[in-house]
Amino acid sequence: MHGDVIVVGGGLMGCSVAYRLAKEGADVVLLERSVPGAEASSAAAGILGPSVESFDDALALQLGRKSRELHAALAEELDEYFGVDVGFRRCGVLKVALDASELEELDRQAERLRVQGVRCQQWSAEELLREEPSIHPDALGALNMAEDAQVEPRKLLSAVALGAEREGVRFRTGSTVRSVEVSGGRVRGVELADGTLEGDRVVVAAGSWTTQIPGLPLQPDTIYPVRGQMITTQTRPPLFRRVVFGAGGYVVTRPDGRVLCGSTMERVGFSRGNTFGGLSDVIDKATRIAPSLREAVVESHWSSFRPGTPDGLPLVGETRVEGLFLASGHYRNGILLAPLTAELIADAFHGESDSREARALSPRRFEELGT
């Protein structure tokens, strides 16, 4: 098998890139060692909240806001063409203050967001309890970011993978990439267990495992795993109308009453599983946000790995190896940034990689530093 483009990684990032490139006419082969979405894509909460995640970083905030709007357009596209509702809801995101220092922090966050043109509202304790009665009664106030949204990652991944397949992308599951093949300064394909798969261009979107693949011009610790543990339960009626951040954690309520609580951030290598300490931490944070969750039954719990980077920004674009591209290192914002990443990779394919965003995310910033 030969493809004009080989995409390594079948999570939302890889499927989004494959879908976008195939729509532009590329012959794409997507390689996944397990099944699409087996790792972080299916484990994520699906928060599209750049205003709460990136308020202190103007570039990250800009990227997140742009990608959030691409999500809105993508949701309409997937519904129109494939009849799939991916759960996109512009429900808004709240940041709750539970003590005086957190309330002061909300003032600072609101000011920074307004400078960047983000619409936000500061709510008093009374306004907060009126809007979200399940919030902790001692909460002092909140910052409401009504433009932010949520999506259901499993539904989104299934729809994007379906779209990619309909556009001609060939999926090869059970394919472990042993190395990226490079010769004469350009990529030639990838080495698999059953031989070499040739390709003119290779996009590596393998999440936390990206720099574990031999042949990339990066040090192994440029992208590293950060374990996140999460818990789900169910409430009737639904607990909150909005996504709620507070106490160092978050609570995401789906319209059907499912509640996702998260999440730890642990540098433990590739150690899988849930721990007593991790789950206790998630429960403590969630019940500080919503005390009624103390009576909720734990339905499921899991952990997965987020791909972290030294500067907190992803690696998106062409490496110094001609034809070799990266789409990885998105840390907590993989779901949020997937549509924008696909757009930036498509631009790079066309030689359009001189935008501020493209320069800031270029993998070459680490190649040049030798880190």
Side-chain angles (χ1 to χ4, degrees):
M1 183 184 288
H2 178 282
D4 292 337
V5 182
I6 299 170
V7 175
V8 180
L12 180 61
M13 202 63 63
C15 287
S16 296
V17 169
Y19 180 43
R20 176 61 183 265
L21 296 177
K23 285 200 300 181
E24 296 187 354
D27 178 19
V28 182
V29 178
L30 186 146
L31 306 176
E32 169 55 45
R33 63 179 181 175
S34 179
V35 295
E39 297 295 343
S41 295
S42 295
I47 302 169
L48 308 180
S51 305
V52 71
E53 293 275 19
S54 307
F55 75 95
D56 239 353
D57 186 323
L59 175 62
L61 179 59
Q62 173 188 328
L63 295 171
R65 293 178 71 196
K66 182 176 181 180
S67 199
R68 182 192 62 206
E69 299 314 306
L70 291 175
H71 265 287
L74 178 63
E76 289 186 8
E77 176 182 318
L78 295 171
D79 190 16
E80 178 181 355
Y81 291 114
F82 308 117
V84 180
D85 177 6
V86 300
F88 178 88
R89 296 174 55 236
R90 206 179 289 274
C91 58
V93 171
L94 286 179
K95 180 74 174 291
V96 176
L98 297 171
D99 60 37
S101 64
E102 290 180 353
L103 193 61
E104 291 180 5
E105 173 65 15
L106 287 190
D107 290 338
R108 187 175 74 88
Q109 182 172 351
E111 179 60 30
R112 286 181 176 269
L113 289 174
R114 287 169 184 144
V115 167
Q116 295 297 323
V118 177
R119 289 187 297 154
C120 57
Q121 297 174 304
Q122 289 175 276
W123 286 352
S124 67
E126 293 76 17
E127 289 171 317
L128 173 58
L129 280 171
R130 185 170 62 247
E131 289 287 335
E132 296 288 3
S134 295
I135 210 75
H136 198 293
D138 294 336
L140 300 181
L143 187 61
N144 177 40
M145 293 148 283
E147 295 177 323
D148 284 347
Q150 64 168 280
V151 70
E152 297 207 36
R154 289 178 185 270
K155 292 181 179 180
L156 178 61
L157 174 63
S158 295
V160 172
L162 172 64
E165 192 169 21
R166 294 272 180 88
E167 291 291 341
V169 174
R170 291 169 288 167
F171 285 76
R172 283 187 57 172
T173 58
S175 298
T176 299
V177 175
R178 292 185 170 179
S179 66
V180 172
E181 297 298 292
V182 177
S183 176
R186 75 161 290 114
V187 75
R188 303 297 177 182
V190 297
E191 183 69 24
L192 304 175
D194 56 354
T196 300
L197 175 62
E198 297 180 350
D200 300 319
R201 291 174 174 176
V202 173
V203 182
V204 179
S208 297
W209 289 266
T210 295
T211 51
Q212 304 297 306
I213 300 173
L216 300 184
L218 296 169
Q219 296 297 319
D221 60 354
T222 306
I223 298 176
Y224 51 83
V226 180
R227 186 173 67 186
Q229 302 186 49
M230 293 185 65
I231 293 173
T232 61
T233 185
Q234 190 97 13
T235 64
R236 290 288 189 273
L239 186 67
F240 293 127
R241 294 163 54 197
R242 301 164 180 83
V243 174
V244 181
F245 279 75
Y250 58 78
V251 175
V252 181
T253 305
R254 304 291 192 220
D256 62 2
R258 284 173 294 149
V259 180
L260 292 77
C261 305
S263 167
T264 61
M265 292 180 286
E266 306 166 84
R267 290 286 300 272
V268 293
F270 288 99
S271 177
R272 289 187 179 274
N274 291 101
T275 65
F276 277 78
L279 295 182
S280 175
D281 182 56
V282 172
I283 291 169
D284 178 64
K285 292 173 179 175
T287 53
R288 286 188 65 203
I289 294 171
S292 62
L293 285 174
R294 293 186 183 279
E295 307 303 319
V297 175
V298 173
E299 291 195 343
S300 62
H301 52 80
W302 66 91
S303 69
S304 190
F305 301 113
R306 305 181 186 94
T309 65
D311 63 2
L313 292 174
L315 281 67
V316 180
E318 191 170 18
T319 69
R320 69 168 181 258
V321 176
E322 186 180 353
L324 176 59
F325 298 76
L326 296 182
S328 189
H330 295 78
Y331 192 37
R332 291 165 59 98
N333 292 308
I335 301 296
L336 171 63
L337 294 177
L340 179 62
T341 297
E343 182 176 277
L344 291 174
I345 291 294
D347 289 347
F349 269 41
H350 299 310
E352 301 168 2
S353 56
D354 197 38
S355 68
R356 178 170 176 254
E357 296 99 322
R359 292 195 302 272
L361 303 185
S362 171
R364 299 184 186 187
R365 70 188 190 274
F366 291 111
E367 296 171 1
E368 291 167 357
L369 293 172
T371 61

